[in-house]
Amino acid sequence: MAVWKMSGLSDTERAECAKILKLMSKGDVLSLSDTVTNKLIVVEHVKEAVETILSFTKNAEEFLRRKKVYRELIFKYLAKEGVVMPPNSEKHQLVKRTLELWSSRKVVPAETDKTRQRPSTETASDSTKVEAGFDPLVLGQQFCQWFFQLLNSQNPSLGQQPQDWGPQHFWQDAKLRLLSRTGSEQMDEFLGAELVNLRLLALTRDERLVLSPNLDTQGLKVLTSPHGLVLVAVAGTIHRDEACLGVFEQIFGLIRSPLENNSWKIKFVNLKIRGQDTLGGTEVAAPSLSYNSTELQLLCS
């Protein structure tokens, strides 16, 4: 009987599924290979099994819903990718969040596709560099993935190697406006790259918070101005250890730096934090932005 490859996975999905497979035991990987191919292909080594699973998986959701892809594995994978979910999340919620994460990454074309090149952020200190001519929404998604992974890596409770956080990612006259509603309301402002950098760093390094952005259409908006300012607004949840403490809304103003290879740097940050006690029982699993486009446009002017 002929066996046909059924893979409908994109390059991004193949790479991310492979990361999850690396978290699995050898026995589970070999068993999953048998399941995916209905035992029509016999493999002996994990490397063969991984390639077989990726080649014969019809789509990403099918892979994630397999019994051998345990809830705990997806939870651990998301944590490694800088996406923090409530510890009591059910598997279907973790699958949904993972698919959203992969979908946001799929919009970046292959490097060889020069004719339709879109912005491509890189890792570490060059992560805010993008190509000229860009899709603002893609820039917003990539910026948020970079920023929150970078900031959350400073949290010692996550056990990650801290990444290259610092004032170099901000303009010298950067401004942070922090509004906190946790019982009482408090407004603080910080001026200058060093102070803005240190206050945001304190959220994760000292207060041990983890900020998890919602990058779907309800949680992310991106606007541009004719003067080169890109406004990225995102909502998300705030966690400490296993507790969800509340929600946040964060607005970034980004401007290119022509003296630094056209990297995008942060001009201003407006951060609004609301504790659980101020939400009145509102669902916080995937918070939405409360700002409308008109309010955001005013910040662009």
Side-chain angles (χ1 to χ4, degrees), residues 76-88:
K76 183 183 295 186
Y77 162 79
L78 286 173
K80 284 179 175 290
E81 295 299 306
V83 178
V84 180
M85 295 287 287
N88 60 350

Side-chain angles (χ1 to χ4, degrees), residues 20-154:
I20 294 177
L21 289 169
K22 286 183 180 179
L23 299 175
M24 297 171 62
S25 68
K26 177 181 178 181
D28 281 346
V29 172
L30 295 175
S31 175
L32 182 56
S33 178
D34 286 342
T35 300
V36 169
T37 65
N38 201 22
K39 296 186 177 180
L40 293 174
I41 295 180
V42 178
V43 297
E44 297 180 357
H45 306 291
V46 170
K47 186 175 181 180
E48 287 181 273
V50 168
E51 183 58 35
T52 300
I53 292 167
L54 297 177
S55 296
F56 287 86
T57 293
K58 295 178 183 178
N59 55 63
E61 184 172 2
E62 177 192 71
F63 171 82
L64 292 169
R65 293 191 182 279
R66 294 287 187 185
K67 289 183 179 179
K68 291 295 183 182
V69 183
Y70 303 120
R71 187 195 76 88
E72 292 76 13
L73 286 173
I74 304 176
F75 184 88
K76 183 183 295 186
Y77 162 79
L78 286 173
K80 284 179 175 290
E81 295 299 306
V83 178
V84 180
M85 295 287 287
N88 60 350
S89 298
E90 296 182 9
K91 182 175 178 179
H92 72 88
Q93 295 172 315
L94 298 174
V95 168
K96 180 175 182 290
R97 186 66 187 90
T98 303
L99 291 173
E100 290 172 351
L101 177 65
W102 293 354
S103 178
S104 69
R105 292 177 176 177
K106 277 196 299 183
V107 294
V108 184
E111 291 182 3
T112 56
D113 188 1
K114 300 298 184 182
T115 61
R116 296 190 303 159
Q117 187 70 36
R118 289 191 176 189
S120 173
T121 54
E122 301 169 1
T123 56
S125 60
D126 290 330
S127 56
T128 51
K129 293 180 182 177
V130 297
E131 297 284 334
F134 65 94
D135 181 329
L137 183 58
V138 174
L139 173 64
Q141 291 169 333
Q142 294 177 340
F143 169 77
C144 287
Q145 288 169 359
W146 165 78
F147 178 86
F148 290 104
Q149 189 169 13
L150 177 65
L151 183 59
N152 288 331
S153 74
Q154 313 304 314

Side-chain angles (χ1 to χ4, degrees), residues 240-254:
R240 180 185 291 125
D241 298 326
E242 297 183 356
C244 180
L245 303 183
V247 300
F248 72 89
E249 290 184 90
Q250 196 158 2
I251 301 174
F252 301 90
L254 308 179

